[in-house]
Structure formats: C-alpha cells, structure tokens
Amino acid sequence: MASSRTLGTFRLPPLPTIREIIKLFRLQAVKQLSQNFLLDLRLTDKIVRKAGNLTNAYVYEVGPGPGGITRSILNAGVAELLVVEKDSRFIPGLQMLSDAAPGKLRIIHGDVLTFKIERAFPESLKRQWEDDPPNVHIIGNLPFSVSTPLIIKWLENVSQRNGPFAYGRTRMMLTFQKEVAERLTATTGSKQRSRLSIMAQYLCNVQHILTIPGQAFVPKPEVDSAVVHFTPLTRPRIEQPFKLVEKVVQNAFQFRRKYCHRGLGMLFPEARRLESTGKLLELADVDPTLRPTQLTVSHFKSLCDVYRKMCDEDPHLFAYNFREELRQKSEKRG
Ligand code: SAM
C-alpha cells in the first residue's frame, strides 16, 4: 500500500454499481434533504479530472452520499480522502468503499457546516500563503441549500486564512445550482453580476468549469447544475475585513436596478445620508450613476477603503443598520 501511495497508481477493485449500492442499502433520495445523486461514473471521473492532478493529494469530500464522486477521487491516486456525510444511511455503503481502498478513505458521520478540517490532515502539508497551493483539495456536490451558505463561510475563511485555508491556498471544486454558478463567475456589466460575484472574485480566481444537465442526476432536479473551481488569490483584491466588504457589497446591491448611490446611501444614517454618500463616492472616485452591476472589483476596493476611513473617524458608523433605523422610526410613530 505504501508504494501505491507514492506512485499514485491505486485503482478500486470491481464493485457493485452505484445503482446497486442504492438498492442494496435502500438509499432512496430524501426530497426534504434535496438529495440528487450522480450514478454515471464516466461523468464523476470527468468532474474529478477538472480538479487537476490529484496524485498523492489529500482530499476533503463534502456530502459523498452513495459515493459516485468518492470512487472517482479514490481512482485518481490520492494519498487520503476524508469524507463528511450527514445522513447515516450512507455510512455502510461508504464503509464498503473504505474496505476496497485500505487506508485511503476516512469516513466522518457529521455536518460540513461544523466539521473542523484544519486539524484533520498532516501539519506537513501546510504551505505559506504566497507559495503554490498545498496538495489539499475540497470537492463536493452538496444540496444547494447548503452549498451557498457554505461558500460564504469558506470565503470568510479564505480572508482569515483559517479553516480549510490553514493549509494555505486550498483549492475547492463545488457544484451549485447553475444560476448560482453564473452569479459566482459573472463579469462586470452582466445580468448575473451580484453580491456573490464580488465576494468570490475579490478573494479567489473563480472558474465555471462544467454545466451538468438536470437529467444527469437521480432523481432529476428542476434545475441544471454547474461545477465551479476556486483558487484563493495570493493577495485579495480588496484588503479590508470580510465583514466590512460584505456590508458595502450587500448595500450596493440592495437596489440592483437603481443607480449605485441609492444602495450605498443605506450605509449612512438618514440625517446625513446625502452628504455622506456624496463624500464616499467622490473620495472613491466612483460615478454615482453607475448601476451596481457595472461596478468593478476595483470600484469596490476604493469604496471599501474610503468607507473604512469613514468608520475609523466615526466609531458608530459600522454598527449602523438602516432597517433598525426604520424599525425605530415606525415604533415611535406607532
Ligand atoms: N455526492 C453525491 C453525488 O454526487 O451523488 C451526493 C450528492 S447529494 C446532492 C448531497 C449529499 O450531501 C447527500 O448525501 C446529503 O446527505 C449530504 N449532505 C447534505 N447536507 C450535508 C451537511 N450539512 N453535511 C454533510 N453532508 C451533507
């Protein structure tokens, strides 16, 4: 086994098909958990190849389910694959895979939203942030309800260089609803440009690498999916705390069809909204009549840098929330 680890030549022995595994362990998809499975191993091989060379890599797979992608990862010659699955029904099927790949597959029955991957792999894998990415990869096809909050959490981890990014610039390859993938990768001026585009692109090189039609899944979901690859940048394109960037971006896209000054104005208390928004846009050198979708990451960098200065000058500003101000006003009126 030690030699197959170094040479990366491991192949799984013949096994029951994923369809047979589903029958054998009665793994019918649970609709409430948005479970849709990939049964075609040629497709899972194609997806896994898109993650790059996985020879001797340490891979963290989120939501392995009946194990289609898991098999393709094991066949890619990895040193170790750690899978985290929430639904206990899948554990016996995964155990069968683990027996077929001795010493390579570690199974955790848990939740990806709370699992701490930063201590799971050897310390020796850690790289300096500026170095090439470590040989650690995240791969997953999660339900859409989990993948979107998870990517926001992981982007915050990228900005703080902790969680999965304690190893360095760990690469991720995740499946999203096609529409979400388009938002993550949308360029300036496109219809899909949104909060997610800026949050992902200021921290990572983001690539939409594959569209998977709904009919590739069992049961077939109502929408198509897409696989997105993320490589954290050596230097974020905005050098401000994640929560500050998130606040500026969220406000800017508040009224996505209006001029950007409308949403950005919501960063400031009503009494001085006009004046403060004017100052923000002037100092950041951003045209107030651009639509939020027309703002580049570099526009957001200037806006965040100026807003940061304004927050430093007024310690109450960052905590300001226009919804809270509206609520208090309506309470007074009531
Ligand atoms: N990867 C498999 C495939 O492509 O066929 C299964 C995909 S299915 C869309 C999503 C899987 O993620 C299911 O097995 C589900 O039980 C699991 N899952 C959902 N939420 C999870 C969570 N919070 N933590 C870990 N696994 C989760």
Side-chain angles (χ1 to χ4, degrees):
M1 195 197 69
S3 66
S4 72
R5 237 173 218 228
T6 357
L7 297 171
T9 51
F10 175 85
R11 295 294 297 178
L12 282 165
L15 288 165
T17 64
I18 299 289
R19 201 178 284 280
E20 285 162 351
I21 292 280
I22 290 175
K23 265 204 188 145
L24 189 64
F25 294 103
R26 298 167 189 240
L27 303 176
Q28 271 63 32
V30 178
K31 207 168 173 199
Q32 291 90 316
L33 295 178
S34 314
Q35 290 176 339
N36 310 96
F37 308 132
L38 289 169
L39 308 190
D40 179 352
L41 294 180
R42 277 166 311 178
L43 177 59
T44 56
D45 281 350
K46 183 172 173 184
I47 295 172
V48 168
R49 273 198 301 275
K50 298 281 183 187
N53 181 1
L54 296 184
T55 311
N56 293 328
Y58 286 72
V59 180
Y60 173 32
E61 189 196 354
V62 291
I69 295 179
T70 318
R71 291 184 187 203
S72 298
I73 298 172
L74 286 170
N75 278 332
V78 298
E80 186 177 317
L81 169 58
L82 185 149
V83 297
V84 175
E85 172 56 58
K86 195 175 178 180
D87 186 339
S88 60
R89 295 177 309 143
F90 293 112
I91 305 300
L94 291 168
Q95 194 54 54
M96 182 192 260
L97 270 186
S98 174
D99 295 343
K104 284 196 181 276
L105 177 59
R106 241 199 299 170
I107 305 162
I108 309 280
H109 177 212
D111 189 326
V112 295
L113 292 167
T114 49
F115 181 71
K116 295 211 178 318
I117 186 69
E118 52 272 44
R119 285 192 288 271
F121 291 141
E123 280 278 309
S124 58
L125 291 171
K126 290 192 173 168
R127 294 280 169 274
Q128 291 296 318
W129 192 260
E130 293 72 21
D131 286 352
D132 284 344
N135 207 2
V136 177
H137 298 253
I138 300 178
I139 298 181
N141 170 25
L142 281 167
F144 304 138
S145 56
V146 180
S147 53
T148 309
L150 190 62
I151 192 61
I152 289 291
K153 177 178 141 83
W154 279 342
L155 288 171
E156 184 162 13
N157 288 149
V158 171
S159 79
Q160 294 166 353
R161 304 181 185 183
N162 59 18
F165 309 95
Y167 298 99
R169 294 185 297 120
T170 300
R171 287 160 285 183
M172 304 184 268
M173 199 178 69
L174 301 169
T175 304
F176 295 90
Q177 194 171 330
K178 187 167 160 243
E179 221 174 71
V180 177
E182 283 168 356
R183 276 192 245 144
L184 283 160
T185 53
T187 51
T188 314
S190 69
K191 220 170 65 199
Q192 290 85 359
R193 186 81 159 172
S194 66
R195 175 180 74 108
L196 270 184
S197 333
I198 310 298
M199 298 310 289
Q201 294 170 29
Y202 96 82
L203 290 162
C204 297
N205 181 357
V206 193
Q207 272 182 300
H208 175 156
I209 52 169
L210 190 68
T211 299
I212 312 178
Q215 56 267 29
F217 295 89
V218 177
K220 176 181 173 298
E222 274 158 30
V223 288
D224 290 344
S225 297
V227 182
V228 181
H229 191 274
F230 302 79
T231 308
L233 296 168
T234 44
R235 214 174 142 185
R237 294 163 77 195
I238 304 175
E239 289 178 297
Q240 294 295 350
F242 185 85
K243 292 285 180 214
L244 184 140
V245 180
E246 197 176 36
K247 187 163 187 190
V248 172
V249 175
Q250 230 160 20
N251 278 275
F253 280 97
Q254 195 94 237
F255 306 105
R256 44 181 301 122
R257 285 165 205 276
K258 304 251 164 46
Y259 292 145
C260 68
H261 72 82
R262 246 330 272 291
L264 288 167
M266 296 304 175
L267 288 167
F268 306 104
E270 197 180 355
R272 54 189 166 93
R273 185 162 293 154
L274 216 60
E275 181 201 333
S276 300
T277 315
K279 181 175 163 189
L280 171 71
L281 288 157
E282 193 186 328
L283 292 178
D285 196 20
V286 173
D287 176 352
T289 65
L290 287 174
R291 313 271 168 190
T293 51
Q294 294 173 306
L295 297 175
T296 61
V297 173
S298 141
H299 282 134
F300 276 105
K301 175 190 168 12
S302 312
L303 289 165
C304 290
D305 289 347
V306 175
Y307 178 64
R308 169 68 187 266
K309 277 197 194 118
M310 294 169 92
C311 289
D312 289 345
E313 284 161 16
D314 172 357
H316 302 292
L317 183 58
F318 188 67
Y320 170 73
N321 179 326
F322 77 92
R323 289 185 210 282
E324 184 58 20
E325 186 178 19
L326 279 177
R327 196 187 59 77
Q328 285 175 5
K329 274 191 183 153
S330 81
E331 247 177 35
K332 263 188 208 158
R333 262 186 254 124

